[in-house]
Amino acid sequence: MSGLAGSCHPGPVVAVTALMTALAVTAGQSAARCVLTAAAVLTGQLSVGWCNDAFDARRDMAAGRRGKPVVDGTVGVTEVWGAACAALALCVPLSLACGLWAGAVHLTGVAAAWAYDLRLKATAWSWVPYAVGFAALPAFVALGLPGQPWPAWWVVTAGALLGVGAHLGDVLPDIRGDLATGVRGWPHRLGPDGTRLLLPVPLVAASAVLALGPAGPPGRWGAAALAVAAVVALAGTLLGRRWERAAFASAVAVAVVDVALLLLRGTGIA
Ligand SMILES: CC(C)=CCC/C(C)=C/CC/C(C)=C/COP(=O)(O)OP(=O)(O)O
């Protein structure tokens, strides 16, 4: 059981599910709908995480990659595939139970993420599933509100930008190891320096869209958050020339600002 838990990419699964549940609450979904939204997002994320480890198992074993349960032998590849398919099978009705449009949008995001796992991860298009998947998540929450309102442009755009930033940040620490095993996604083609320099751009752009996108002035908190994000990103870019970890840490800090802004703007996403 711990092997299965470890191979679902538990960190992102918990973080994305918690964030979307919080967004559902602030956006004004009913308690029952919030539970349904959380369950749909959880099963979608689990299916993508398990599919990723199951599909990569042979390569990870050949590379003797540490920290992967299928490589350590704490879970079998067949079990991980079974879990991925079971989670996906649950995700379909749970998503559609939030409404036809909401379900279709969420399942499009999940399908894009499976395409990442099965094919696009090792291509120049590796950023596309992240953009589509992360844009779909707030759209799913908005369309799950009473009356199925269309999401605001700025929340979908910010989601896509956060997704691109998440992709660059996820790959940055692994670029050199991945290149040794033949994976050549978009960040690998940019190289470690190119990825490090580009990383803050979509994240600060997301801050700007979240602060300035909604109608009316950004307010004191919005303006302060945007200023903090810009300063932290600049510091990360300068310090990152010497310490790559500083670039990564500053990107995480800007992403935290983005999440706070997203929740602050939660009531107006539709
Ligand atoms: C709506 C929705 C489902 C959105 C998610 C979007 C998306 C593309 C997620 C991918 C998550 C994932 C398993 C990354 C692992 O990447 P990796 O294989 O580079 O990392 P690893 O080698 O460390 O496992």
Side-chain angles (χ1 to χ4, degrees):
M1 202 62 193
S2 73
L4 260 189
S7 66
C8 73
H9 296 73
V13 167
V14 170
V16 172
T17 306
L19 174 59
M20 286 307 122
T21 307
L23 187 63
V25 172
T26 49
Q29 287 190 359
S30 68
R33 180 50 63 88
C34 286
V35 172
L36 207 52
T37 297
V41 173
L42 176 65
T43 50
Q45 295 295 312
L46 283 172
S47 79
V48 172
W50 277 321
C51 168
N52 185 275
D53 261 21
F55 188 75
D56 289 346
R58 203 182 308 168
R59 208 194 56 232
D60 288 341
M61 281 179 202
R65 196 167 163 192
R66 285 166 175 261
K68 285 284 176 191
V70 280
V71 179
D72 302 342
T74 45
V75 68
V77 182
T78 314
E79 283 167 84
V80 181
W81 271 128
C85 294
L88 183 63
L90 280 172
C91 179
V92 174
L94 285 167
S95 301
L96 292 171
C98 293
L100 200 58
W101 279 110
V105 164
H106 185 233
L107 293 173
T108 301
V110 173
W114 272 66
Y116 171 84
D117 288 347
L118 301 176
R119 174 88 188 96
L120 296 178
K121 167 180 160 162
T123 73
W125 300 101
S126 60
W127 58 276
V128 174
Y130 270 88
V132 172
F134 278 80
L137 286 166
F140 171 54
V141 173
L143 285 161
L145 286 164
Q148 309 189 15
W150 202 241
W153 70 268
W154 51 266
V155 79
V156 178
T157 307
L161 289 165
L162 272 170
V164 174
H167 180 40
L168 295 171
D170 178 51
V171 174
L172 180 61
D174 299 332
I175 283 192
R176 291 175 185 89
D178 283 348
L179 282 172
T181 60
V183 174
R184 291 195 74 237
W186 181 52
H188 309 91
R189 290 162 202 251
L190 292 173
D193 290 339
T195 300
R196 177 175 53 73
L197 286 172
L198 189 61
L199 174 58
V201 174
L203 295 172
V204 175
S207 314
V209 167
L210 286 166
L212 307 173
R220 215 182 324 153
W221 285 109
L226 182 53
V228 168
V231 169
V232 170
L234 187 63
T237 304
L238 295 175
L239 294 172
R241 283 197 288 202
R242 205 174 251 246
W243 302 287
E244 195 170 278
R245 274 164 189 250
F248 185 78
S250 93
V252 172
V254 177
V256 168
V257 171
D258 288 342
V259 165
L261 267 174
L262 180 64
L263 293 177
L264 201 69
R265 298 298 203 186
T267 45
I269 64 167

